[in-house]
């Protein structure tokens, strides 16, 4: 379960910046271990995506798990605001959506690139053949977190990957 994995990664950490980093690490690990489940979760709200459609009971169960993930991430950001790590003006949901968007889109592109790698001619000609998706996720997540910190590090590179 994605929520349990993300929760476990961050549960013994006090620093909200590190918590967010570890939740992101858990998200990528979930994709790595369970790519089909990742695809299902990332497409569950796409109208007409599933034939036959996911029944209401299963959809509600999945929706509840997704809600729990959003609550986990927004709580980390709220806690960071309360402890003075993040700026008071920070919108926890905006941060969660931003982190989710960059992570999910890069993971989906990475997934597609892996698919293309099975088609040697197409993959070798692809502009994405040697693209480091995980690096892009890390850099952009750092930019998002850096932008909400009250006292960000002087050197962007000093923030952990």
């Amino acid at each position: 379960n994605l929520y349990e994995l993300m929760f476990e990664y961050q549960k013994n950490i006090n620093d909200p910046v590190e918590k967010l980093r570890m939740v992101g690490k858990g998200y990528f690990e979930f994709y790595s271990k369970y790519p089909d489940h990742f695809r299902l979760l990332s497409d569950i709200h796409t109208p007409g995506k599933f034939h036959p459609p996911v029944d209401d009971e299963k959809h509600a169960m999945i929706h509840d798990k997704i809600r729990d993930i959003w609550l986990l991430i927004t709580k980390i950001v709220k806690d960071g605001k309360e402890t003075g790590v993040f700026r008071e003006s920070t919108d926890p949901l905006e941060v969660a959506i931003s982190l989710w968007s960059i992570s999910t889109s890069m993971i989906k592109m990475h997934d597609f690139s892996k698919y293309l790698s099975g088609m040697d001619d197409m993959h070798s000609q692809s502009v994405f053949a040697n693209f480091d998706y995980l690096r892009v996720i890390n850099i952009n997540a750092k930019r998002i977190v850096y932008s909400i910190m009250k006292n960000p590090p002087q050197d962007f590179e000093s923030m952990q990957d």
Side-chain angles (χ1 to χ4, degrees), residues 138-147 152-161:
N138 285 329
I139 288 171
N140 284 286
K142 282 169 54 171
R143 286 181 179 139
I144 292 165
V145 172
Y146 190 94
S147 74
Q154 294 293 329
D155 179 14
F156 181 77
E157 297 302 319
S158 69
M159 287 183 71
Q160 247 182 329
D161 282 336

Side-chain angles (χ1 to χ4, degrees), residues 27-125:
Y27 191 53
F28 191 80
E29 183 171 320
F30 178 80
Y31 159 73
S32 298
K33 287 183 176 180
Y34 312 104
D36 291 333
H37 290 94
F38 174 85
R39 290 181 202 111
L40 172 69
L41 286 175
S42 63
D43 289 338
I44 194 70
H45 298 296
T46 304
K49 181 75 174 181
F50 298 100
H51 301 285
V54 177
D55 69 52
D56 289 341
E57 186 177 317
K58 287 180 185 168
H59 192 272
M61 182 183 73
I62 294 168
H63 183 269
D64 287 348
K65 293 295 182 186
I66 292 170
R67 183 198 66 233
D68 291 345
I69 292 166
W70 287 109
L71 291 173
L72 171 67
I73 297 168
T74 56
K75 181 179 180 339
I76 293 169
V77 176
K78 286 176 189 174
D79 291 348
K81 286 173 57 172
E82 289 173 11
T83 59
V85 175
F86 299 142
R87 299 171 193 215
E88 292 85 12
S89 61
T90 300
D91 181 337
L93 186 57
E94 181 182 325
V95 172
I97 290 170
S98 297
L99 292 170
W100 171 81
S101 296
I102 189 65
S103 299
T104 301
S105 63
M106 287 293 108
I107 291 171
K108 283 183 158 194
M109 289 182 72
H110 171 71
D111 195 46
F112 183 66
S113 182
K114 282 175 46 178
Y115 165 77
L116 285 180
S117 69
M119 303 173 194
D120 290 333
D121 290 340
M122 285 182 73
H123 185 64
S124 64
Q125 295 173 21

